[in-house]
Amino acid sequence: MPRVAPQYSSSDWRGCGSSPASRRLPLARNVLEIVHRQFIAPITVLGSGIPAIDHITGIGGYPRGRITELFGTASSGKSALALACCLNTAALGLTVVWIDLEHSLTAKLPLDPGPSARDILLLEPHTAEDAVDMAAILLERANIDLLVMDSAIVMNPSRRPEGMPFNMARAEMVGRALRKLTTLVTRRHCVMLFLSRSYLMAVPASVASIGGGALRSFASLRLKTTQEQLAMDEGDPSSFAVRVRVVKNKLAPPEREALLYYSLADGTLTEEPPAMVAEQPEEEPWP
């Protein structure tokens, strides 16, 4: 026998209006109001400490209430870029927290960081789970303006399922951390800088972050650092250029670049190229 589609009368929609269309109207109106409020709400930012970086972000710095990923190859200026923001934020009297999973911040500090470096709260957890718990507790109980997570490459879970590769376990750990911290970062209205390492994918030939797909999805702003133009001074490397490119930006047009210079002598990251060593004039031979 052919099946007959059931017939519904308007009386079946109890408490929801006379028709399905009228039931959907209030929900659609609420969604449009939420989207409208998000577009007209002013975007508050935190200065990066480097005017060139503030310019390429398109909004004047790192957005508050969102996650910003700084990724690149080893020794490409990621930590120096985050430290510039930390020192600038601490100098303004705001609260800065650096969660150092690599236990290497003291070696990355500039030669003369200034008095504002004393105001940075440094935490050195031993496991990735401890780092996430520390960040969650601080975001729930303290007024934090800047939180730095350093870094995704060492966020290995203490217990890895048998047979699961290390890279998959690390990406899953980063995903769990982001799902837990994203809401707290938005509620606290702070800036979160998540440092990560990049690697070259075989197929397709593109550069990806070690944090996995979760970090690419949760981050509203992604900056990629690349080391270029190594300068030598009397046979020893003295500085190198750092190219910073905006890979993803939900608040402004992406694909903007800035060229910075990192000095190996004092560990500072500036816009101006290092001064060349002046050549000593040759002495005239004795007659």
Side-chain angles (χ1 to χ4, degrees):
M1 294 180 62
R3 296 184 179 180
V4 179
Q7 302 293 327
Y8 295 98
S9 61
S10 60
S11 59
D12 295 332
W13 298 87
R14 299 177 182 177
C16 300
S18 58
S19 65
S22 63
R23 182 189 180 192
R24 291 194 296 266
L25 282 176
L27 178 60
R29 190 180 300 113
N30 293 336
V31 171
L32 291 177
E33 290 177 357
I34 293 173
V35 173
H36 181 66
R37 285 199 301 267
Q38 290 180 349
F39 274 102
I40 65 175
I43 300 173
T44 56
V45 298
L46 200 60
S48 65
I50 303 175
I53 301 299
D54 296 341
H55 175 70
I56 65 174
T57 58
I59 54 176
Y62 302 128
R64 282 182 173 269
R66 297 172 182 262
I67 296 175
T68 299
E69 181 189 5
L70 306 178
F71 72 101
T73 56
S75 302
S76 60
K78 304 182 297 295
S79 300
L81 198 60
L83 273 170
C85 183
C86 290
L87 296 176
N88 180 68
T89 305
L92 298 175
L94 303 178
T95 306
V96 180
V97 178
W98 187 295
I99 299 180
D100 187 14
L101 272 163
E102 296 185 358
H103 297 187
S104 60
L105 179 61
T106 54
K108 300 174 183 177
L109 285 173
L111 189 62
D112 185 14
S116 59
R118 303 175 184 175
D119 299 328
I120 300 177
L121 177 60
L122 176 61
L123 302 176
E124 295 183 342
H126 294 286
T127 62
E129 290 83 0
D130 291 343
V132 176
D133 292 340
M134 288 179 182
I137 292 173
L138 288 172
L139 289 171
E140 288 176 351
R141 303 182 182 180
N143 293 323
I144 299 177
D145 298 286
L146 176 60
L147 175 64
V148 180
M149 186 71 73
D150 184 18
S151 69
I153 195 171
V154 290
M155 291 196 69
N156 300 312
S158 56
R159 294 183 179 180
R160 180 171 56 94
E162 185 177 357
M164 177 179 288
F166 279 101
N167 57 345
M168 293 182 60
R170 178 173 54 235
E172 184 180 352
M173 182 66 210
V174 172
R176 290 202 304 266
L178 291 172
R179 286 190 294 270
K180 185 174 183 178
L181 299 178
T182 301
T183 305
L184 299 175
V185 168
T186 304
R187 188 184 308 166
R188 187 57 65 184
H189 201 58
C190 78
V191 173
M192 182 175 181
L193 299 182
F194 211 119
L195 276 61
S196 181
R197 187 78 61 86
S198 64
Y199 65 96
L200 183 63
M201 298 178 63
V203 179
S206 60
V207 176
S209 169
I210 205 76
L215 189 52
R216 294 195 299 270
S217 301
F218 279 91
S220 298
L221 180 64
R222 301 183 70 219
L223 302 181
K224 179 186 173 222
T225 59
T226 308
Q227 185 184 33
E228 297 181 358
Q229 302 174 4
L230 183 64
M232 307 294 290
D233 182 13
E234 296 182 357
D236 297 327
S238 60
S239 63
F240 60 85
V242 177
R243 186 172 299 276
V244 183
R245 183 166 66 93
V246 179
V247 178
K248 175 185 177 182
N249 196 347
K250 289 186 177 181
L251 305 171
E255 301 301 331
R256 297 181 178 180
E257 293 185 354
L259 189 63
L260 307 177
Y261 298 91
Y262 181 80
S263 174
L264 296 173
D266 53 7
T268 57
L269 190 65
T270 59
E271 299 182 50
E272 299 294 332
M276 299 299 294
V277 179
E279 296 182 359
Q280 298 293 334
E282 296 182 1
E283 297 181 359
E284 296 182 0
W286 185 264

